[in-house]
Amino acid sequence: MTETVRIYRQGVDIIPPHPGSDWTRFVCISDTHSHTFHIPTGDVLLHAGDLSSWGSLSQLIVTVEWLKSLDHPVKIMVAGNHDLCLDEMWAQPIYGLLPEEVQQARTYVRSQTAAGLHYIEHEPFRFMLSSGRQWKVYGSPAAPLYAPGSFQYETPDEARVIYNRIPNDTDILITHTPPFMTLDRTRKGKHAGCHVLSNKLAELRNCRLHVFGHIHECAGAQINTHDPFRLVDRASVNAAMAVTKKAIVVDLLN
């Protein structure tokens, strides 16, 4: 059987040179919380949310300016539950955020495409690399309600509305929350991932890579090969850097 996916953990595995034009190298990060890191180069950088520490515009700017400085040709980011200034639901003085700050933050993240940095929020995004390979991406900042935060949902019905929007032909999925039972175990031993997202993933037969974060202590990656109905192997990556301080590199055969 042809090998289609390879995973390397920065600081643990020796990351080899780029495997060539038949492959795409994805560098996966999440939960950077306004900190900056040294990360490997690659074709595509994926950030799965919690760009900021506590949701202020100034903290968001630290991360976005850092991401802009990186040399990955394509950079894609979603928000997370810490990124209050990007959630219109938090645009109220009672929460300490003025509507104009939220609007400024949302305009700011949408205006970085000239630097190759793309913000997506419950929406698809397509890009083509110099190799000619086109990838179909979908990104969502949502997560189950845990504590006060942005982009959260409380019920399975709310989750279904969010995740039913994911096109079934998605190649690369970026969510802030993990799916249930996939790299989602908390330090207390609870599986904190989303059941509804897990069910939706079963429908995404072409999805090659799912990147998420949120559960800092369960950062890591795995290749899911056990589903006989899936058309391709899928790499699942909890890219949270809050504990490990390291990125995860995924090479996918085009």
Side-chain angles (χ1 to χ4, degrees):
M1 185 175 179
T2 302
E3 184 182 26
T4 61
V5 55
R6 301 167 181 165
I7 296 174
Y8 307 100
R9 297 162 296 168
Q10 182 186 12
V12 176
D13 304 314
I14 297 174
I15 301 175
H18 192 291
S21 60
D22 290 336
W23 293 76
T24 300
R25 173 159 289 181
F26 295 87
V27 179
C28 308
I29 62 176
S30 186
D31 297 82
T32 54
H33 295 288
S34 303
H35 297 286
T36 63
F37 303 90
H38 172 73
I39 61 173
T41 60
D43 300 305
V44 185
L45 176 70
L46 304 175
H47 194 306
D50 278 1
L51 303 158
S52 61
S53 296
W54 301 107
S56 71
L57 175 57
S58 61
Q59 292 170 344
L60 176 68
I61 288 173
V62 170
T63 297
V64 171
E65 293 303 310
W66 167 59
L67 294 176
K68 286 168 59 180
S69 75
L70 301 177
D71 62 1
H72 307 73
V74 178
K75 301 179 278 278
I76 304 171
M77 58 181 173
V78 303
N81 61 297
H82 277 246
D83 299 317
L84 308 182
C85 66
L86 291 173
D87 187 349
E88 292 173 313
M89 295 292 292
W90 281 79
Q92 303 179 50
I94 191 174
Y95 296 137
L97 287 171
L98 297 174
E100 51 266 34
E101 181 180 7
V102 173
Q103 186 56 52
Q104 184 181 353
R106 292 178 61 81
T107 300
Y108 170 68
V109 294
R110 294 284 190 183
S111 64
Q112 306 302 329
T113 56
L117 179 58
H118 307 273
Y119 173 78
I120 55 177
E121 182 182 304
H122 302 302
E123 62 189 302
F125 175 73
R126 296 188 182 198
F127 67 92
M128 183 177 292
L129 295 171
S130 59
S131 64
R133 176 57 155 100
Q134 179 179 248
W135 292 97
K136 302 172 186 176
V137 183
Y138 189 90
S140 171
L145 180 65
Y146 168 68
S150 48
F151 300 107
Q152 296 186 103
Y153 50 87
E154 296 188 57
T155 68
D157 285 343
E158 290 176 315
R160 277 187 282 272
V161 169
I162 291 168
Y163 296 122
N164 282 345
R165 297 169 63 178
I166 303 172
N168 284 342
D169 64 349
T170 297
D171 297 314
I172 310 297
L173 179 63
I174 312 170
T175 62
H176 186 55
T177 185
F180 183 66
M181 292 288 288
T182 301
L183 300 169
D184 70 333
R185 187 186 292 273
T186 70
R187 62 176 58 88
K188 295 181 180 180
K190 176 185 177 182
H191 288 285
C194 177
H195 290 266
V196 175
L197 176 58
S198 182
N199 292 336
K200 178 62 182 181
L201 277 161
E203 301 174 12
L204 304 181
R205 299 179 64 193
N206 293 297
C207 183
R208 304 276 306 279
L209 171 61
H210 180 203
V211 182
F212 48 89
H214 194 42
I215 309 302
H216 299 174
E217 58 268 42
C218 206
Q222 63 188 43
I223 301 174
N224 305 97
T225 60
H226 61 278
D227 186 346
F229 299 104
R230 189 180 303 132
L231 299 179
V232 293
D233 290 341
R234 176 186 300 145
S236 297
V237 178
N238 181 335
M241 298 185 73
V243 174
T244 68
K245 317 298 184 188
K246 303 296 182 183
I248 294 178
V249 174
V250 179
D251 289 341
L252 294 183
L253 184 66
N254 291 339

